[in-house]
Amino acid sequence: MGNARLWGLKKSPWVFHLAAAPCNNCDIEILDLITPRWDVERFGIVLVGSPRHADALLVTGVINRKTLPRVLRVYEQTPKPCLVIAIGTCACSQNIFTPSYNVVGPYDKHMPVDVYIPGCPPKPESMIMGIVKALKRL
Amino acid sequence: MNIVRILFSYVIFPGFIFTAVVGLFLTWIDRKVTARIHWRVGPPWFQPYADFLKLLLKETIIPEGSSKTLFLLGPLLGLIGMSIFAVMLFNMNFNPSGSFVGDLIVIIYLLALPPIGIIIGGSASKNPLASVGASREMTQYFAYELPFLIALVSIIIKAGGSVKFGEIILAQQAQGPFLYSISGVIAGVVIFLCIQAKLSFVPFDIPEAEQEIMAGPYIEYSGVTLAIYKMTRAMMLLLLPLFLISVLWGGFANWWAILKLLLIVVLIILVKNTNPRLRIDQALKFFWIGIGALSIIGLVLAFYGL
Ligand code: SF4
């Protein structure tokens, strides 16, 4: 049972793109992943429109007082087991926004993060590598 | 003994399990051909099975404030309808003169079950996007059902006024497939477009338009319930082309049918990949005025035996 579940999760991780106040650059790079050049559908990765269908949340952007409750809400709405993948330096640490009054810390202060993919924005190759490494480690 | 056989035919072959396995394979063909059209590599062959397994073993959430019974009934309705439809279709094709009474009217009702399930589930899930999707599904159902029925009536006329499925197939075996005549081609085109809409594929994917209302009626479904919806769609991808083959193209009790099936499925996928989505009012106009007129012409031609 556990094995089958793990296999299914490894072979078809559906991702929900949760953009919490990024500068939009990371998002564009995420969309690159589904273009013919990188085509992550090879690994069964599909971008879905509802957190209820998702197995992994791709979080981008620096988390602030406004977005924190909403991000937590979406995290709670996602059926478990679910991975959280922090994409971009904003999500991993806080990038250049650290001194801002509105920033409430990186994601791992508020919820478990499984993968950190730094870069501003990270290259699509490095995102694929991060996700594949995380799936291998499961 | 009889009960065991009936159960076998509903649950294993040709009912639920067989149709689901083959249907999921066809969804892989769909995804692979789509990927090739996009100049991508596409998923490996076991992808739909992996998706299905994963969904089965995931947590299922019932949204707070939704109507629990209806929310869970929605996916089941379509699945039950399609399983019964599969049994009837296969029985009629492999044993057309048998005593099993299956007529087109029952099949029309069975084909209405998946959209009804989607409408019920979508409206029960207490999500504004899901209700928008459900209402669009309802409108679209009324849009494509009219030309579909008229096309079926022209087939009934060609079969000598019989609504029995077996007799339609026997008539085709006697006088050649109905498709090889003008009214047959027209009925084929009409039913083909209705299949496209029944599967909610682009250009008729209005109820679940991914870019506007995310997944429409499916938006709140997760885990097992979503898996059942996906499987119902996969079964429809197998059964509807088979239905087209059996009412117009001489039944599928021979090996050629596999080629015919693949041809129709690939055609559906090509139409899906080369068209933009219509708006709901455009779809309604398209089906009621354009396709409706075409199907009536087909009906008149069939009446004069062309
Ligand atoms: S990491 Fe860089 S590119 Fe990504 S959201 Fe932050 S500032 Fe933008």
Side-chain angles (χ1 to χ4, degrees):
Chain A
M1 191 76 173
N3 275 343
R5 179 186 223 151
L6 210 58
W7 184 80
L9 205 60
K10 269 186 184 176
K11 290 298 173 193
S12 91
W14 291 357
V15 297
F16 177 70
H17 177 190
L18 175 55
C23 78
N24 232 290
N25 212 337
C26 281
D27 309 313
I28 306 280
E29 293 299 318
I30 288 176
L31 293 185
D32 277 355
L33 288 178
I34 49 177
T35 56
R37 179 144 189 172
W38 286 282
D39 184 27
V40 283
E41 208 188 355
R42 284 177 293 157
F43 312 116
I45 301 177
V46 181
L47 211 57
V48 292
S50 154
R52 298 268 196 230
H53 306 175
D55 306 298
L57 294 177
L58 301 178
V59 288
T60 56
V62 59
I63 203 163
N64 56 38
R65 283 178 216 285
K66 278 280 187 207
T67 50
L68 177 64
R70 288 156 177 94
V71 168
L72 288 179
R73 186 86 192 274
V74 172
Y75 180 68
E76 282 156 12
Q77 282 175 343
T78 314
K80 308 292 173 297
C82 108
L83 294 175
V84 177
I85 303 173
I87 287 187
T89 315
C90 277
C92 295
S93 56
Q94 297 160 44
N95 213 354
I96 53 167
F97 305 104
T98 322
S100 166
Y101 63 94
N102 196 21
V103 168
V104 287
Y107 282 87
D108 46 9
K109 254 191 181 172
H110 306 285
M111 56 200 205
V113 174
D114 299 270
V115 191
Y116 301 88
I117 302 175
C120 182
K123 282 185 130 189
E125 288 93 335
S126 66
M127 290 187 205
I128 296 178
M129 197 169 113
I131 295 172
V132 169
K133 269 190 182 164
L135 292 178
K136 272 200 186 138
R137 235 195 48 208
L138 271 181
Chain B
M1 203 54 226
N2 220 0
I3 297 244
V4 174
R5 252 192 42 219
I6 290 173
L7 268 185
F8 180 82
S9 71
Y10 277 97
V11 178
I12 299 175
F13 180 89
F16 173 56
I17 290 180
F18 172 76
T19 338
V21 170
V22 180
L24 284 175
F25 182 74
L26 287 181
T27 61
W28 172 73
I29 293 184
D30 168 24
R31 287 173 69 173
K32 188 78 181 175
V33 172
T34 308
R36 292 313 296 164
I37 292 172
H38 294 169
W39 219 247
R40 291 187 285 125
V41 178
W45 66 268
F46 53 77
Q47 193 57 53
Y49 305 104
D51 287 351
F52 181 66
L53 190 73
K54 175 204 75 184
L55 285 176
L56 273 192
L57 298 176
K58 256 183 97 96
E59 186 188 2
T60 306
I61 299 176
I62 298 172
E64 196 185 334
S66 68
S67 154
K68 227 180 223 167
T69 336
L70 290 180
F71 186 75
L72 295 178
L73 184 70
L76 277 183
L77 265 185
L79 187 72
I80 294 168
M82 282 302 110
S83 305
I84 301 174
F85 180 43
V87 177
M88 286 180 63
L89 206 56
F90 276 79
N91 260 349
M92 287 298 94
N93 269 281
F94 289 107
N95 190 9
S97 48
S99 60
F100 188 82
V101 184
D103 56 38
L104 278 178
I105 315 255
V106 179
I107 280 172
I108 290 164
Y109 282 116
L110 285 176
L111 281 177
L113 278 181
I116 291 177
I118 292 172
I119 293 166
I120 290 180
S123 358
S125 51
K126 206 189 178 208
N127 182 313
L129 295 179
S131 348
V132 172
S135 86
R136 288 186 184 186
E137 175 80 36
M138 212 179 311
T139 319
Q140 178 155 308
Y141 176 74
F142 286 124
Y144 65 65
E145 202 64 1
L146 179 74
F148 186 66
L149 290 183
I150 297 176
L152 285 187
V153 170
S154 69
I155 288 167
I156 291 172
I157 290 176
K158 288 172 89 61
S162 165
V163 291
K164 285 222 183 80
F165 214 117
E167 279 171 31
I168 291 177
I169 287 167
L170 285 180
Q172 291 188 70
Q173 279 167 1
Q175 46 173 299
F178 294 155
L179 192 62
Y180 305 149
S181 63
I182 304 172
S183 57
V185 170
I186 292 178
V189 170
V190 171
I191 295 182
F192 179 81
L193 286 169
C194 293
I195 287 177
Q196 193 88 12
K198 273 179 195 289
L199 288 167
S200 6
F201 275 172
V202 191
F204 309 112
D205 70 331
I206 308 156
E208 55 204 67
E210 254 172 39
Q211 293 83 357
E212 331 165 5
I213 51 172
M214 312 330 254
Y218 309 117
I219 193 166
E220 288 291 343
Y221 282 94
S222 58
V224 183
T225 46
L226 183 65
I228 293 177
Y229 267 133
K230 295 256 167 209
M231 199 158 59
T232 313
R233 291 282 294 279
M235 289 164 81
M236 281 164 77
L237 187 58
L238 170 69
L239 294 175
L240 293 175
L242 281 184
F243 174 71
L244 177 57
I245 294 175
S246 44
V247 289
L248 277 170
W249 213 347
F252 57 86
N254 50 33
W255 292 108
W256 285 109
I258 298 179
L259 274 185
K260 292 177 187 169
L261 173 69
L262 286 180
L263 182 75
I264 295 178
V265 169
V266 170
L267 260 181
I268 290 176
I269 298 166
L270 285 182
V271 172
K272 172 186 165 190
N273 276 299
T274 46
N275 282 288
R277 182 187 316 123
L278 297 175
R279 275 198 324 265
I280 186 70
D281 57 322
Q282 288 169 332
L284 197 69
K285 257 186 216 145
F286 176 75
F287 274 116
W288 277 11
I289 298 175
I291 297 300
L294 188 66
S295 59
I296 287 175
I297 294 173
L299 183 67
V300 173
L301 287 179
F303 195 73
Y304 289 106
L306 277 171

